[in-house]
Amino acid sequence: MKKTINVSSQGATLDTGRRNFLKLGGIGLAMAGLALVGCDDNDDFQMTDDQVFDLGKGDVGILNYAYALEQLEADFYTKVVNSFYSGISTIEKELFTDLYHHELIHRDFFKAAISGITANVLPKLEFQYPGVNFNNRSSVLATAKALEDTGVAAYNAAGKYITDPNYLVIAGKIVSVEARHASAIRNLINPGSADFSGDDVIDANGLDVAKEPKDVVMAAGGFIKTPFTWKERGIN
């Protein structure tokens, strides 16, 4: 039996009244009212023998993978906005607050969507930030840049593994927002430069780089305390 789930943004705290360049306004995150038709509702939990969660197979695995990344970004920006670094400007506060709201919506959307189609939902992860000084502007911006660039590259590579076109549409909408985040952070680091589309993230064909799940998990692994596997993609 298939399940249809309608995901609402109700409950998310959005400051949509401010007229800033990253407010949700127009994008409204089309996912907020999108109906998803997913996998069979008799999917089982994917647990390894030592009780480490496995992300699962097919589209469920991809959704759990995206959920893990969104949990990380939401957790990072929560820490940033709960205690802004010393000397932060009003514009930077607004930017980080917008990013915080966006990532919370992304995270909560994936949790609701996955819960509606399977019992194999990634649990809440624990994170750590070794070497990150949340009271230092350069440290926060460098970490935000790494997370956003990695997130964009992750979605770019994961798209080819998605079989349900509904999920592919969602991934395309989210990665475009993540790319805006990445360019905004890069502009804070080096204002007025071409870094928003630097050679380190745009290839010779003018396309965003893509990173396979195994490479993304390796890059982000230092932040993720909770172990998980994704055997289908060689992550053990």
Side-chain angles (χ1 to χ4, degrees):
M1 179 181 178
K2 302 285 186 180
K3 281 188 177 180
T4 300
I5 177 172
N6 289 293
V7 181
S8 171
S9 61
Q10 184 176 4
T13 303
L14 292 177
D15 183 4
T16 54
R18 289 183 293 110
R19 297 182 59 83
N20 53 57
F21 73 100
L22 273 180
K23 80 170 185 176
L24 284 177
I27 52 175
L29 283 181
M31 299 90 71
L34 185 62
L36 299 180
V37 179
C39 308
D40 292 341
D41 62 1
N42 60 352
D43 292 319
D44 295 323
F45 281 96
Q46 302 292 320
M47 301 295 287
T48 60
D49 292 339
D50 56 358
Q51 297 301 301
V52 173
F53 185 91
D54 188 81
L55 298 185
K57 297 180 180 180
D59 287 344
V60 169
I62 294 292
L63 292 175
N64 273 318
Y65 170 57
Y67 181 36
L69 297 177
E70 298 298 349
Q71 282 194 53
L72 171 57
E73 290 185 313
D75 185 80
F76 172 75
Y77 287 118
T78 297
K79 286 179 169 54
V80 172
V81 301
N82 279 345
S83 182
F84 286 118
Y85 51 76
S86 179
I88 189 171
S89 68
T90 299
I91 290 177
E92 289 173 357
K93 281 185 179 181
E94 290 183 350
L95 171 62
F96 278 116
T97 300
D98 282 336
L99 269 57
Y100 160 75
H101 286 315
H102 291 182
E103 300 302 356
L104 287 189
I105 289 177
H106 292 175
R107 180 200 66 192
D108 293 347
F109 170 80
F110 277 111
K111 181 178 180 179
I114 301 167
S115 298
I117 61 173
T118 180
N120 190 49
V121 184
L122 181 72
K124 182 179 179 181
L125 302 176
E126 291 186 60
F127 303 99
Q128 60 189 0
Y129 302 93
V132 179
N133 181 355
F134 282 92
N135 194 46
N136 179 273
R137 181 179 187 271
S138 295
S139 183
V140 170
L141 289 178
T143 306
K145 175 176 175 287
L147 290 177
E148 296 293 354
D149 288 349
T150 299
V152 174
Y155 277 102
N156 287 342
K160 63 179 178 290
Y161 298 121
I162 299 173
T163 60
D164 189 320
N166 292 302
Y167 299 146
L168 189 59
V169 169
I170 293 167
K173 291 179 181 295
I174 293 178
V175 72
S176 64
V177 176
E178 298 291 355
R180 292 173 188 267
H181 294 178
S183 63
I185 292 295
R186 284 168 168 260
N187 188 63
L188 283 183
I189 295 172
N190 194 5
S193 71
D195 285 2
F196 73 95
S197 59
D199 292 341
D200 57 330
V201 288
I202 305 295
D203 65 22
N205 297 314
L207 301 176
D208 245 315
V209 298
K211 291 184 178 179
E212 289 297 314
K214 197 168 186 177
D215 297 323
V216 170
V217 172
M218 183 177 296
F223 297 124
I224 303 173
K225 291 180 66 176
T226 308
F228 62 80
T229 63
W230 193 7
K231 292 186 175 181
E232 186 178 50
R233 296 288 160 225
I235 299 171
N236 298 303

